[in-house]
Amino acid sequence: MSVYLDHAATTPLSPAAREAMLPYLDAWFGNASEPHAYGREAKAGLEHARGLLAELLGCEPEQVVFTSGGTEADNLALFGQAGEAPGRMVVSAVEHAAVREAALVLERRGFEIAWAPVTPEGVVDVAAYEQLVRPGDRLAAVMWANNVTGVVQPVAELAAIAAEHGVPLHTDAVQAAAGLPVDVGAAAVATAAFSAHKVNGPKGVGCLVVREPSVRPQQVGGGQERGLRSGTENVAGVVGFAGALQERRSRVDGRAQVRDLLERLVDGAAVPVAASAPRLDGHSLLLVDGVRAEVLVLALDQAGYAVSAGSACTAGESEPSHVLLAQGLTPEQSRSVIRVSLGLDTTVAEIEGFAAALRTAVDRLRAGALLPGPAGH
Ligand code: PLP
């Protein structure tokens, strides 16, 4: 097996989350809306998970709306608060596609989207944002931490500026939750999106924390989740989500030292992007000038290391990343970055091995050597 250094794309299921889920996949499979014993067991598990997540995320249990993941939570926040066109929103220039594409749909429906610029380090330009937010805006949206660069935004400050104008702020906290003790109450955001699979929970489950009463449901049906998200609840999934986040919060994150070591070891072959901005501890985006990221990712895969070219969520795209263009990289540079994202258990030895493999691959590729094809194909 190769060494997995792509934790920003997804994480392995933690043993604690798996253990917590098993009873709800087996004996306690009931529908949480039913009053009989099976239903009551499922409901108890669901509400326990909700309470635990609320405690960990700094909100009230009734503010946690379970969804099928981060994408649905972001969509619910934007479409749920947009109301009727015409209207206006301020959206950062570096959002994940789950927010950006929703904003682009709203733009096509007649909304004005004001794109908030970022500095060359990828941090939202607070002075420019202050000028952009206006009373009457339906929403401001700024992600807590970026999935490409790992840059952490001053979300509490941006939420306070929006609040001065009476504008609610939505934050996509999907990546942030993997590296920071995110507290939505302390940051005073209106809504915040989370996804279990980024914090060693299962895929296909997440939540939107809703602290703003104006959010409207985007799907109708049985009225689950206080009417905000109809559909039979994924009880095992949310139990795994809560168990995973609880375990993650209880562990000391020593990844910043390992990441700094990595960036020292690759010096000369690669340059870290946004190195002086506040960044998630386990996250490094490396610019490898003159080398195409897809080719380097394949070379590293053959050498036994799994990393990503830019953002995994837009994998397959050949377009340069809007995130990197927004912070001033050229299209060519933005095609020459690889993302290395560490797990809590990534070791120094693994990073030393990776750095050596990266140097070898970069030397070969810069020298114009062709990649050998897979044996027998
Ligand atoms: N937002 C960010 C910042 C992400 O990194 C991702 C996932 O890659 C998402 C949203 C989407 O989350 P999900 O995969 O749970 O739909």
Side-chain angles (χ1 to χ4, degrees):
M1 282 293 273
S2 59
V3 176
Y4 187 74
L5 298 173
D6 197 13
H7 291 82
T10 196
T11 53
L13 187 66
S14 81
R18 187 172 180 281
E19 277 302 301
M21 291 171 76
L22 286 176
Y24 298 94
L25 293 169
D26 293 330
W28 302 342
F29 62 86
N31 183 324
S33 298
E34 295 293 345
H36 51 56
Y38 291 88
R40 289 199 309 274
E41 283 292 356
K43 178 84 174 165
L46 181 72
E47 295 312 324
H48 179 73
R50 196 190 305 281
L52 190 52
L53 282 164
E55 212 177 293
L56 295 167
L57 299 176
C59 65
E60 298 302 321
E62 57 275 15
Q63 293 171 332
V64 176
V65 176
F66 289 118
T67 64
S68 65
T71 301
E72 187 189 339
D74 280 326
N75 273 237
L76 177 56
L78 265 79
F79 293 124
Q81 286 186 83
E84 296 297 315
R88 187 174 181 277
M89 284 186 183
V90 177
V91 179
S92 98
V94 293
E95 293 299 301
H96 183 273
V99 168
R100 185 179 175 84
E101 291 296 322
L104 290 170
V105 167
L106 290 168
E107 199 168 51
R108 291 196 285 278
R109 288 184 192 164
F111 284 81
E112 180 191 343
I113 308 293
W115 299 99
V118 296
T119 67
E121 288 285 279
V123 181
V124 167
D125 179 332
V126 178
Y129 168 87
E130 226 162 359
Q131 295 299 312
L132 282 177
V133 181
R134 295 186 201 150
D137 286 349
R138 303 276 170 82
L139 189 73
V142 181
M143 69 203 313
W144 201 307
N146 189 272
N147 49 299
V148 181
T149 58
V151 168
V152 177
Q153 303 293 347
V155 168
E157 186 185 354
L158 301 174
I161 293 169
E164 277 169 29
H165 299 286
V167 177
L169 183 126
H170 169 65
T171 191
D172 174 339
V174 167
Q175 290 289 338
L180 299 169
V182 168
D183 186 320
V184 293
V189 295
T191 51
F194 296 90
S195 178
H197 76 97
K198 306 285 185 180
V199 294
N200 301 102
K203 292 171 183 59
V205 59
C207 70
L208 182 69
V209 172
V210 180
R211 301 175 70 247
E212 160 69 47
S214 64
V215 179
R216 293 287 161 261
Q218 297 304 301
Q219 68 187 45
V220 291
Q224 290 91 341
E225 298 297 295
R226 292 184 301 119
L228 278 173
R229 203 279 186 173
S230 285
T232 302
E233 300 89 342
N234 174 3
V235 178
V238 305
V239 167
F241 179 14
L245 191 62
Q246 183 181 38
E247 195 196 12
R248 204 158 170 119
R249 288 283 179 91
S250 70
R251 291 192 60 185
V252 178
D253 186 344
R255 292 177 298 170
Q257 287 114 296
V258 185
R259 187 215 37 216
D260 292 348
L261 170 70
L262 161 70
E263 292 181 354
R264 279 198 302 279
L265 291 176
V266 298
D267 189 28
V271 181
V273 175
S276 55
R279 279 187 297 162
L280 293 174
D281 286 347
H283 206 112
S284 186
L285 188 72
L286 299 173
L287 174 60
V288 191
D289 261 329
V291 174
R292 284 297 283 248
E294 312 90 82
V295 183
L296 181 54
V297 165
L298 286 180
L300 289 168
D301 186 42
Q302 287 182 2
Y305 296 91
V307 300
S308 135
S311 164
C313 301
T314 45
E317 77 170 345
S318 54
E319 289 292 296
S321 155
H322 68 275
V323 173
L324 299 174
L325 296 181
Q327 59 191 73
L329 268 72
T330 64
E332 207 41 47
Q333 286 175 320
S334 98
R335 291 192 185 94
S336 298
V337 291
I338 59 164
R339 183 182 66 183
V340 185
S341 45
L342 314 180
L344 292 178
D345 297 318
T346 302
T347 64
V348 166
E350 286 170 335
I351 287 307
E352 286 170 347
F354 171 74
L358 178 84
R359 286 179 159 287
T360 306
V362 168
D363 284 349
R364 270 183 41 221
L365 292 169
R366 281 192 179 142
L370 288 176
L371 271 182
H377 293 275

